[in-house]
Amino acid sequence: MLIARLFLLLAILAEVVGTSAMSLIGQSGAWWGYIVMYVLISVSYYFLSLAAKKIAIGVAYATWEGLGITLITLVSIFLFDANLNTQELFGLALAIVGIVCVTLGESHPPLSPHDEPTDPASTRG
């Protein structure tokens, strides 16, 4: 499950950088920016698909989208001088709360007896 979360984190980071590149492309108009954007968004979907093998797709997608929106908004504020009004900040806060609720509500299959840690003291006769 840890590797799946790492894949999800990589998917989120690739999405944030790729989407942020769109703003830079709009400012510069350089053709290479489009290549960077498309490659990073493709990488994002690739890692999302790997994460979805172990994380429920609804949870993976909600986390990917929600954290991506939050991080892209922060990038917009700090790098591109975007201003958010109260309603937009409230909506972003609701998205974060929703991500936390979905992630905490994710169910995990029970461990098999071979996966449980054993206590050496309990195996002595």
Side-chain angles (χ1 to χ4, degrees):
M1 187 64 121
L2 181 62
I3 194 77
R5 292 190 187 275
L6 177 63
F7 288 149
L8 186 57
L9 178 63
L10 290 172
I12 292 166
L13 292 176
E15 177 200 16
V16 170
V17 175
T19 305
S20 298
M22 283 192 276
S23 183
L24 292 174
I25 292 166
Q27 293 173 4
S28 69
W31 63 270
W32 60 267
Y34 291 102
I35 294 171
V36 170
M37 179 188 70
Y38 288 125
V39 167
L40 286 171
I41 290 181
S42 296
V43 166
S44 177
Y45 275 101
Y46 172 73
F47 281 120
L48 179 61
S49 71
L50 293 177
K53 290 181 179 181
K54 294 286 183 186
I55 301 171
I57 189 66
V59 173
Y61 186 78
T63 304
W64 175 77
E65 192 63 36
L67 288 177
I69 289 170
T70 303
L71 292 173
I72 290 166
T73 302
L74 291 174
V75 167
S76 298
I77 291 169
F78 292 113
L79 294 182
F80 303 119
D81 296 323
N83 293 317
L84 297 179
N85 62 34
T86 305
Q87 182 178 345
E88 292 166 329
L89 289 171
F90 182 69
L92 203 56
L94 285 176
I96 293 168
V97 169
I99 293 165
V100 170
C101 289
V102 167
T103 304
L104 291 177
E106 182 182 16
S107 63
H108 300 282
L111 294 174
S112 68
H114 301 327
D115 293 337
E116 294 182 24
T118 57
D119 180 14
S122 66
T123 58
R124 291 187 215 148

